[in-house]
Amino acid sequence: MRVTESGRHIRHGLVYLLILMLGVAGTSCNSEKRLAKRQARQALEMAKASLREVISDEGTMTLTDKEDVLEDIRSKSFNRDEEFNTLWEEAETLVKTERAAYDELKRAEEEARKAAEREAASGSTKDIDAAMADIARKGLTGQANEDIAQLLK
């Protein structure tokens, strides 16, 4: 079978087209890799900025907001550098300290509330007992009934 001149041109054209497609595909992978690296660097810088914000906060963020920021960063995976690790440790320590202080404050408030309730309960019982003893000493039934009604108000 004899190959014509146009057949050779078609084969050469197909070979060139195949080489061109492989070349474009190869550069496409490289640009995707560069884009992925750039996005990873941006994500790391955003995480560092968030950590700096948590560390330098002067009361604008709630404790829950700070915990949410740390949890969000913890859920992401990216290459961490030494600066990130330092910021992470500082922010995590700060938030843990704030959480412990908050929990201690809540515990103290609860204890104070319970103590006040106990004091009120025992104090009111003592007051009623003293008032009833006074009423019993009076001996007048009409006056005693008025005093009891007043005491129950």
Side-chain angles (χ1 to χ4, degrees):
M1 187 177 214
R2 190 169 170 201
V3 178
T4 63
E5 201 57 38
S6 63
R8 267 191 218 147
H9 289 297
I10 291 175
R11 263 195 242 149
H12 284 199
L14 288 175
V15 168
Y16 289 131
L17 182 63
L18 181 61
I19 291 171
L20 179 67
M21 288 175 57
L22 288 174
V24 168
T27 59
S28 174
C29 288
N30 287 337
S31 65
E32 287 177 14
K33 288 178 184 177
R34 275 186 257 129
L35 178 63
K37 284 182 181 180
R38 187 176 331 121
Q39 288 174 340
R41 277 193 312 270
Q42 288 173 343
L44 180 61
E45 290 306 315
M46 287 175 46
K48 287 178 184 179
S50 295
L51 290 172
R52 285 185 194 100
E53 186 178 336
V54 167
I55 292 167
S56 65
D57 179 57
E58 295 181 2
T60 58
M61 294 178 76
T62 65
L63 178 58
T64 305
D65 291 340
K66 292 176 185 180
E67 290 171 333
D68 290 345
V69 167
L70 290 181
E71 186 58 38
D72 184 48
I73 292 171
R74 183 181 288 122
S75 69
K76 295 177 182 172
S77 61
F78 37 70
N79 295 333
R80 294 171 161 96
D81 59 11
E82 188 175 325
E83 180 187 10
F84 175 86
N85 291 335
T86 302
L87 290 169
W88 175 262
E89 288 173 14
E90 188 176 346
E92 191 173 42
T93 301
L94 177 79
V95 170
K96 283 181 180 179
T97 302
E98 285 184 24
R99 172 53 69 188
Y102 177 80
D103 290 345
E104 178 62 26
L105 177 66
K106 286 297 182 187
R107 186 191 61 72
E109 286 176 352
E110 182 65 18
E111 283 183 15
R113 184 188 61 77
K114 287 180 180 179
E117 287 176 357
R118 283 191 303 271
E119 179 66 29
S122 68
S124 64
T125 303
K126 289 177 185 176
D127 292 343
I128 291 173
D129 290 343
M132 292 300 276
D134 286 342
I135 292 170
R137 276 186 287 235
K138 288 187 179 179
L140 300 173
T141 307
Q143 183 64 38
N145 288 338
E146 289 177 23
D147 290 346
I148 291 172
Q150 185 66 29
L151 180 66
L152 293 176
K153 286 185 183 180

